[in-house]
Amino acid sequence: MKKLPILCLALLCNGAGAIVSAQTIEKTIKVSIENPWKSSKTDEPVVINLHTLNTGFVVKSATVKDGNHELPSQLDDLDFDLRADELAFVVDMPAQSVKTIHITLSSSKSDKTYPARVFAEMLFRTAYPNQYAHGTMVYAPGNSDTYTILQHHGIAFESELVAYRIYFNEKQTTDLYGKFHKGLEIEESMFYPTDEQLKRGFGDDVILVRSSCGAGTFKGWNGTSATDIQPVAFRGQRLIASGPVRTIADAEVKGWEYQGKELNMINRYTLYAGHRDAQVDVLFDQPLDNETFSTGVQNIGYNATMFSDHEGLVASWGTDWPVNDTIKYKKETVGLATYIPKEYIRKETKDKENFLYTVSAPQAKSFRYYTMFTSRKETFGYPDSNSWFSYAQEWKKSLEQPCKVSIEE
């Protein structure tokens, strides 16, 4: 008699397991994408919030089709609950065109892969020389010396055009890696190419950020100059996505003592395939009051050429040593640009290190701006300040004319 309940339980488990593994739930939606702008858009990002679709199941894979052509896509879990929150892909949109994209969402995992067009990594240093452990997040008390904990001193991420890293310390500055040729290099070079890799045409660090905001780093503001993100109770970094379509990297602080408040803040950097510009989302856990912050571009070598349209776009072009070793390395010329939507701007200003805008967002819990750079070593880039500043103005216009996305379930 005692064996019967055990036998029944085993049968029930096996039966339930068979049902779950055999059953796949799918949902197909149509997404209309309209480019109302006069110019075509290449690799236009499209992001679908899965929580708005009411699928009734956990989405574990997706197929995105533009006609008969499948577009590479990725599902991203933004809050580490092991459930996808967003579907992302990029699409080419001719001028003043409309496309209908068909998306099939599934409850079953897929083993298909797409060619990687972006890459990101967080590497922990170990007790063994030149051996590293891959990670996804790290946190430390705010008074800790965190600069040397991670290889390349923080998360590194790249597209085929450019690479960035975010310093894991009070600066939180974006440092920049310029390339001669399009391609992914960081997994192999780890931001520090060897002599052999340099001979093969690898890129390298192209800017000495000093105490500046580099390209578009979010900073505090003391009334006369940009300030670092300190003091804080805790500081962290998280690698959310590493491709194949986009990378997402967070620089987070908790308990930032700033202008009489204690702020919990995330600076989220998103880089898409085919892009040199990074999208920067500044996220707070509570609505802001009238706190004033700053961002912009570095005054490279303290004598950069600067351009501003006085309405949210600021850019610079300059030449400086990228590192303190002036024997092995040569001076690098780079162009920087940052664009902040007009509603967040308070005034245009500068300090010794930077060309800046001060920004605020009363009653908001988040806001978004963009930053980018070029290196003159690029065989595919911009040779002088005039061409760079011209491109920056077109870039701003493109950002202000986003594609319109609507969903039909």
Side-chain angles (χ1 to χ4, degrees):
M1 294 296 294
K2 292 182 180 180
K3 292 183 179 180
L4 181 58
I6 297 173
L7 177 61
C8 290
L9 180 61
L11 289 171
L12 286 171
C13 286
N14 288 340
I19 293 171
V20 171
S21 62
Q23 185 178 17
T24 296
I25 308 172
E26 292 186 344
K27 181 181 180 71
T28 299
I29 61 173
K30 292 192 295 183
V31 177
S32 175
I33 305 173
E34 179 186 359
N35 176 16
W37 200 36
K38 64 180 181 180
S39 299
S40 62
K41 288 176 174 282
T42 303
D43 291 321
E44 176 74 2
V46 179
V47 179
I48 306 297
N49 183 340
L50 298 177
H51 300 294
T52 65
L53 301 181
N54 300 315
T55 60
F57 59 89
V58 176
V59 178
K60 296 184 179 179
S61 64
T63 302
V64 179
K65 286 197 171 182
D66 178 5
N68 293 323
H69 174 61
E70 182 173 353
L71 299 176
S73 62
Q74 69 186 64
L75 294 167
D76 291 324
D77 170 17
L78 303 183
D79 55 7
F80 287 91
D81 66 353
L82 302 183
R83 290 173 170 81
D85 300 296
E86 293 182 347
L87 170 69
F89 58 94
V90 295
V91 60
D92 294 340
M93 294 295 299
Q96 299 179 325
S97 66
V98 178
K99 283 187 177 183
T100 298
I101 304 296
H102 292 82
I103 300 175
T104 301
L105 306 170
S106 174
S107 64
S108 295
K109 292 183 179 180
S110 172
D111 58 2
K112 64 184 174 184
T113 59
Y114 302 108
R117 298 184 59 197
V118 293
F119 175 76
E121 67 181 8
M122 173 188 282
L123 295 176
F124 291 94
R125 298 180 187 272
T126 70
Y128 304 98
N130 299 318
Q131 293 188 29
Y132 306 96
H134 289 268
T136 55
M137 64 179 70
V138 58
Y139 288 87
N143 59 0
S144 301
D145 183 4
T146 53
Y147 184 70
T148 58
I149 291 174
L150 299 175
Q151 169 68 358
H152 38 67
H153 305 297
I155 293 175
F157 54 96
E158 67 174 331
S159 68
E160 297 133 314
L161 287 74
V162 292
Y164 300 78
R165 62 177 170 180
I166 310 170
Y167 282 142
F168 184 34
N169 63 4
E170 68 280 358
K171 292 182 179 182
Q172 296 193 178
T173 311
T174 54
D175 198 16
L176 313 176
Y177 178 110
K179 304 181 181 185
F180 287 98
H181 311 286
K182 291 183 180 181
L184 302 180
E185 301 182 6
I186 297 303
E187 186 172 18
E188 184 176 348
S189 74
M190 294 188 292
F191 219 91
Y192 301 109
T194 64
D195 290 344
E196 185 271 335
Q197 288 168 340
L198 290 171
K199 289 180 180 177
R200 285 163 47 198
F202 270 53
D204 204 351
D205 192 338
V206 293
I207 196 169
L208 185 62
V209 296
R210 296 187 174 91
S211 298
S212 75
C213 69
T217 305
F218 190 75
K219 294 285 189 178
W221 178 250
N222 65 10
T224 58
S225 61
T227 62
D228 292 336
I229 310 300
Q230 63 176 349
V232 301
F234 291 93
R235 189 181 312 280
Q237 289 195 352
R238 294 185 295 177
L239 176 56
I240 294 176
S242 57
V245 172
R246 67 175 179 176
T247 66
I248 306 175
D250 283 357
E252 181 174 9
V253 292
K254 292 183 180 293
W256 179 21
E257 297 176 21
Y258 186 70
Q259 296 184 359
K261 303 289 180 62
E262 284 193 359
L263 304 178
N264 296 334
M265 177 184 72
I266 294 172
N267 296 159
R268 177 165 293 170
Y269 292 84
T270 305
L271 179 64
Y272 286 91
H275 284 246
R276 66 172 65 248
D277 58 326
Q279 171 186 298
V280 188
D281 289 289
V282 186
L283 312 171
F284 297 90
D285 67 340
Q286 297 293 326
L288 292 167
D289 289 325
N290 294 309
E291 298 89 347
T292 301
F293 310 96
S294 65
T295 189
V297 293
Q298 182 182 10
N299 179 7
I300 306 155
Y302 304 115
N303 60 359
T305 303
M306 188 269 277
F307 170 83
S308 172
D309 69 353
H310 312 298
E311 294 187 338
L313 176 65
V314 61
S316 63
W317 178 274
T319 303
D320 195 11
W321 301 103
V323 294
N324 292 322
D325 184 348
T326 60
I327 303 300
K328 180 179 179 180
Y329 296 91
K330 63 179 183 179
K331 286 186 174 182
E332 297 278 358
T333 299
V334 298
L336 314 174
T338 296
Y339 163 61
I340 308 108
K342 193 173 182 179
E343 61 264 34
Y344 305 123
I345 296 169
R346 295 302 166 256
K347 70 174 182 178
E348 187 173 358
T349 186
K350 65 179 179 179
D351 60 18
K352 178 182 177 182
E353 300 274 358
N354 309 289
F355 305 115
L356 299 164
Y357 285 100
T358 60
V359 298
S360 64
Q363 306 310 309
K365 292 176 65 175
S366 66
F367 58 93
R368 175 178 293 175
Y369 65 95
Y370 302 83
T371 192
M372 67 172 180
F373 79 94
T374 186
S375 167
R376 194 167 63 180
K377 69 172 59 176
E378 295 171 355
T379 56
F380 51 87
Y382 303 89
D384 52 44
S385 60
N386 288 337
S387 60
W388 175 243
F389 295 155
S390 177
Y391 173 71
Q393 293 173 78
E394 288 301 309
W395 169 63
K396 177 186 174 181
K397 291 177 184 177
S398 179
L399 290 171
E400 291 181 334
Q401 296 286 334
C403 285
K404 299 176 183 179
V405 179
S406 57
I407 298 173
E408 302 176 23
E409 297 190 40

